[in-house]
Amino acid sequence: MTASLLILFLSGPGALLLRAQEPACADCHGNVDRLREAMQDESRPIQPLLIDVERHKQSFHGGQGCTDCHFEFESHPHPEEALTPACTDCHEDVLEHYSASIHGTTPEGAEAPNAPCTACHGVHDDFKKSDRRSRLHPLNVHKTCGTCHDERELRHPGEIAIAGAKLGSYFDDVHGRGIVHAGLNVSANCVSCHGGHDIRPAGDPESRLHHDRIDDTCGSCHAGIQERYKTSVHHTAKIENGEIRTANCNDCHHPHEIERASDAFRAGLSRTCSKCHEQRAGTFIKSYHGRVSSFGYGEKVANCADCHGSHEILPASDPNSMVHEGNLVATCGKCHEGAHESFVQFQVHADFDTPDDNAAVYWIKVSMEGLLLFVFLFGGIHASLWLVRSLAAKEWLHRATFKKTRGTRHVRRWSGMYVGLHAAMMSSVTVCGLTGLPLHFSEAPWSIAAMRFLGGPGTAGLLHRVAAFVMTATFFVYLVHMVYRLVVKREKGIFSGPNTMLPRVQDLKDVGAMVRWFLFLGPRPKFDRWTYWEKFDYWAVFWGMLIIGGSGVLLWFPVATTNFVPGWMLNAATVVHGHEALLALGFLFTIHIFHGNLRPDKFPVDLLFYTGRMTEEEFKRERPKEYERALEGGYLDALFDREPRRVRQVMGMVVAGIVGSLGLAMVWAMVATML
């Protein structure tokens, strides 16, 4: 009551009397020497009592006298205990909001609120917020808030740090960059979002940052965006477990980390959306779009917003939705020129682990997984039994080392053309594996490093297609050559006899004899020109080319090929292509490489693949029936060829080492990821 009467007196007749004394205030508090002389306690710091008089006169309260606020300091020496009235004694209009705010709340045991008025407005330099010198000018607010919320180390000279936990990344935020770097006073500052005298915790329903009010806060600047947002499914309230759950601005645009809708922002959209849409994200990540996004190249492919929209996302049942069945051709056509009704039958979010979404693709997947299991189970058993039996028979003593082969006669097994075709097939398969596996296992940590090493999905995709073209061309060259041998040269024995690659009854007998040898129940069988495992590998190439090649063409030219097949065949092609690739790579670099190189009698490598030749001793031991036929037929000498040059043999060892190491690394990555 006394303070109120005194304020009334100061604002009325008593003001003239008291203000007449105020030059005496400036004489001391505006002069260092006079102030020090007037102070009785020399240990007391002088700086808090020193005032920039001219600056104060220009401030918001500069037209008022000192004793309007310091009303108990009229006399000198000043009383040791004197009251200074609260700012709210005059500014009663902000009292209600301020006292309920975070700043106006006084913690238990404290004598003052969290942030008194002077902490933000200043004391003797409280300019209007429109004044560039004001602490609350739009371009200065971040500095004012930073005096308390400052826990981050400065990264650039002259930069003002903001609190690490809450505001630490504000300078990297689009709003902060607008303020600090661009000097835009219209960019959002702390007050724009948090409020001024009414700052409340985000969980408070009255807070501007409360879940249900954040869109209005952002909409005060982004009015056009808010209009579109209010039509979307994210704004429409849905009751789940008794709680209203919607996606607001902060769910997608993280506070203090808000980016422009640039490529970098788009690249992370799938991760942002997946925080709420976990099931959809799980199916999206298995698609080509999702796999490329997981590498951090989301700007290169369609993301969630490209298909569903951004602020105006509508349910698929809404005719205006981008993913409504009537709009899919236009939506997909933005990227896939020429998209049509059949093409858009491709199922982006289908789950093929169950038959619910597409039974046909589900059973195709089950069949491919069954084929994988069958081949590796029986191939692994066959190779393991062979290894044990070969070690028991000490077959490593028959290895054709450089020392043993020097000066010996060699038999030509493959023509130069077939050596070249094998080299082309081997190199193209390796490149396809190196560029395709990271995409197939895109969620594995190693795949990200591998994709970056390859130069990104774009470069990897180009290499993959070039290698696929080489592989396909190699296959067709072989087919043409076979037709030439059959039609032009009229060779005999291509479809029958010991020289044919077609399965024969003798192959079944050889399998039985080999199993008996594995189990120590009989001698090692004698083979002719081609063995049963070589024929298996041979026909696996035909199977693989049809499956991998056919599915690859569908995926390479999706719009064109879906003119002839339904769009869901692209889903089937994705499943088949990936699983067949795993089968091919796994088989070639384990079982096939064991048969050809890693057997004890061949280890570390059989140079036949590089030279096309083997020693006479190897020929007699491995193909005794063919050797005997050649001897009896009188054409044995015609099979002999000169010994491969030493440099050629060394190069063969190097190539085998490089390709074998890459292949085994791919197998390790496959197994480690699947397990």
Side-chain angles (χ1 to χ4, degrees), residues 98-121:
Y98 172 72
S99 59
S101 72
I102 295 176
H103 287 163
T105 302
T106 302
E108 184 177 354
E111 298 181 357
N114 287 319
C117 307
T118 54
C120 301
H121 293 270

Side-chain angles (χ1 to χ4, degrees), residues 65-78:
C66 304
T67 53
D68 286 351
C69 296
H70 306 284
F71 54 82
E72 291 191 6
F73 290 84
E74 300 94 339
S75 60
H76 188 276
H78 301 314

Side-chain angles (χ1 to χ4, degrees), residues 220-433:
S220 62
C221 293
H222 303 280
I225 296 296
Q226 185 185 25
E227 289 177 1
R228 300 203 299 272
Y229 166 74
K230 287 192 173 182
T231 66
S232 74
V233 292
H234 284 161
H235 180 70
T236 305
K238 294 181 179 180
I239 297 182
E240 300 177 3
N241 300 324
E243 297 182 2
I244 297 178
R245 299 182 58 82
T246 60
N248 60 36
C249 310
N250 281 352
D251 292 321
C252 303
H253 305 279
H254 307 301
H256 306 124
E257 299 176 8
I258 299 174
E259 304 174 59
R260 293 184 182 277
S262 59
D263 287 346
F265 176 78
R266 294 176 69 254
L269 268 182
S270 59
R271 293 189 296 272
T272 299
C273 299
S274 66
K275 294 178 181 178
C276 296
H277 304 280
E278 294 182 7
Q279 191 275 333
R280 288 294 191 184
T283 54
F284 173 74
I285 203 65
K286 296 177 182 178
S287 69
Y288 176 77
H289 295 157
R291 286 170 174 167
V292 173
S293 295
S294 67
F295 293 129
Y297 295 87
E299 74 278 6
K300 305 293 185 182
V301 292
N303 54 51
C304 309
D306 289 323
C307 300
H308 295 274
S310 51
H311 299 103
E312 61 274 41
I313 299 175
L314 302 174
S317 57
D318 190 316
N320 295 317
S321 171
M322 294 176 65
V323 293
H324 184 269
E325 59 183 10
N327 300 326
L328 279 177
V329 171
T331 298
C332 297
K334 292 187 298 182
C335 298
H336 300 277
E337 186 177 354
H340 45 78
E341 292 293 339
S342 179
F343 172 77
V344 300
Q345 292 176 17
F346 173 76
Q347 297 172 275
V348 179
H349 290 292
D351 181 4
F352 301 118
D353 290 331
T354 69
D356 298 338
D357 290 333
N358 191 312
V361 179
Y362 167 75
W363 287 112
I364 289 173
K365 182 179 181 182
V366 170
S367 301
M368 292 301 299
E369 290 174 346
L371 180 64
L372 272 167
L373 180 62
F374 172 81
V375 170
F376 283 109
L377 180 62
F378 284 90
I381 292 174
H382 181 274
S384 299
L385 290 173
W386 192 341
L387 176 63
V388 172
R389 187 66 181 87
S390 183
L391 290 173
K394 299 182 179 180
E395 288 195 332
W396 68 81
L397 298 176
H398 300 294
R399 288 181 302 163
T401 62
F402 286 166
K403 184 176 181 180
K404 287 183 177 181
T405 61
R406 180 175 297 176
T408 62
R409 294 200 300 179
H410 283 68
V411 176
R412 168 67 68 175
R413 293 288 294 170
W414 293 0
S415 67
M417 178 181 178
Y418 284 174
V419 171
L421 290 176
H422 182 271
M425 185 64 72
M426 178 179 65
S427 58
S428 60
V429 166
T430 303
V431 173
C432 281

